[in-house]
Amino acid sequence: RGEELADRGQFGSAGGIANGGELRSCAGILDAADKRRPDDQRDEHREPQHEEGSAAGGLEWRRAGGGGWHSRYSNEMASSSFPPPSRWARDGLVAVGGPLTPQRLVEAYRQGIFPWPVDATPEGLLWWSPDPRAILLPPGLHVPRRLARTIAQGRFALTVDTSFEQVMEACASVDDRSEATWITSQVHEAYLELHRRGIAHSVEVWREGSLVGGLYGVCLGGMFAGESMFSLERDASKVALVRLVQVLA
């Protein structure tokens, strides 16, 4: 349910946010968002737009296809790096190995595929498309009362795309994740390049000038595919998610 993402602060490539039937470019929407650092902002806090008792049915479960086969990357596959959905493994594994380039990442996300390395070796780069998938439609996000009060207090400042790399580094290292993170140096560089090209974006949460939470992901068409989020203070990552939904709505 939509409320579960806000309650638990869950966010990752297994799900994404779609901005409705208009299919506006989420990259363009984020480009228009406030990119000023907290020191440059005034008291312009806006409360989340929601109604008491609003529906929380914004998660849709969609199946992409069965099959029990996945590919290993080869030069012969260069023109089409991934097998058709009919050949994807039932556990969601689509392919193993291959380059982690901006071009291949864009090709992957357009097909609902994302990389999730199990280690830093070439054979450790796995490409996934879980079945079913969770999709959050912005009108379906339910903001619990306690979280709404936290946002209304205005103790956090929020920005978009002011510290993308810092957010990625925090996602990779917070809570001792650095010992078992899937955000390898290769992943770090690949998504940083996507950010430079205006495809990957971040939402930052600040308190007293310090980065205390945030999230990042990939924008293609009308979809924002969440990659990771972190929180150093209670509710910080949830506030980032609410802000993202506000921007995309």
Side-chain angles (χ1 to χ4, degrees):
R1 294 189 306 164
E3 64 184 341
E4 291 178 347
L5 264 76
D7 286 339
R8 301 178 187 175
Q10 294 179 340
F11 198 66
S13 291
I17 297 175
N19 63 5
E22 297 181 18
L23 290 180
R24 297 169 295 167
S25 168
C26 69
I29 295 171
L30 288 169
D31 284 342
D34 194 347
K35 291 179 168 56
R36 293 171 295 165
R37 293 292 292 267
D39 293 343
D40 300 328
Q41 295 182 3
R42 299 295 183 265
D43 185 13
E44 298 174 353
H45 175 75
R46 286 171 284 184
E47 297 184 25
Q49 299 298 312
H50 69 286
E51 297 180 0
E52 190 70 30
S54 60
L59 280 176
E60 297 179 355
W61 297 97
R62 301 183 180 179
R63 294 191 172 274
W69 181 89
H70 65 83
S71 71
R72 291 181 180 274
Y73 185 85
S74 65
N75 290 333
E76 289 75 15
M77 295 174 60
S79 59
S80 180
S81 299
F82 303 102
S86 61
R87 294 185 173 183
W88 295 355
R90 294 189 181 278
D91 63 1
L93 183 60
V94 174
V96 177
L100 189 61
T101 61
Q103 293 81 3
R104 196 176 188 215
L105 281 169
V106 169
E107 177 191 359
Y109 279 99
R110 283 176 173 163
Q111 299 179 65
I113 302 168
F114 62 89
W116 195 304
V118 295
D119 57 49
T121 66
E123 290 296 301
L125 177 57
L126 307 182
W127 300 82
W128 299 87
S129 185
D131 177 11
R133 299 291 286 276
I135 299 176
L136 172 64
L137 303 179
L141 179 68
H142 172 73
V143 181
R145 291 182 180 179
R146 184 185 60 78
L147 180 58
R149 287 196 298 268
T150 296
I151 295 172
Q153 290 170 1
R155 70 172 185 262
F156 294 123
L158 291 101
T159 56
V160 174
D161 283 344
T162 65
S163 300
F164 181 88
E165 187 169 15
Q166 194 174 348
V167 169
M168 273 204 76
E169 291 171 350
C171 287
S173 60
V174 71
D175 297 329
D176 297 325
R177 294 181 190 173
S178 57
E179 296 300 319
T181 182
W182 57 270
I183 306 176
T184 63
S185 58
Q186 186 183 18
V187 168
H188 180 277
E189 290 304 317
Y191 282 85
L192 190 57
E193 181 57 30
L194 284 184
H195 176 64
R196 296 188 187 106
R197 299 186 183 195
I199 299 172
H201 299 268
S202 61
V203 176
E204 302 91 17
V205 181
W206 308 84
R207 188 173 186 189
E208 298 179 354
S210 296
L211 185 66
V212 296
L215 59 84
Y216 76 96
V218 172
C219 277
L220 283 176
M223 178 195 72
F224 185 96
E227 279 301 311
S228 189
M229 65 197 315
F230 81 98
S231 182
L232 299 180
E233 291 196 15
R234 181 175 179 174
D235 292 335
S237 59
K238 300 174 188 177
V239 171
L241 175 59
V242 173
R243 176 56 177 159
L244 175 64
V245 172
Q246 287 178 336
V247 170
L248 295 179

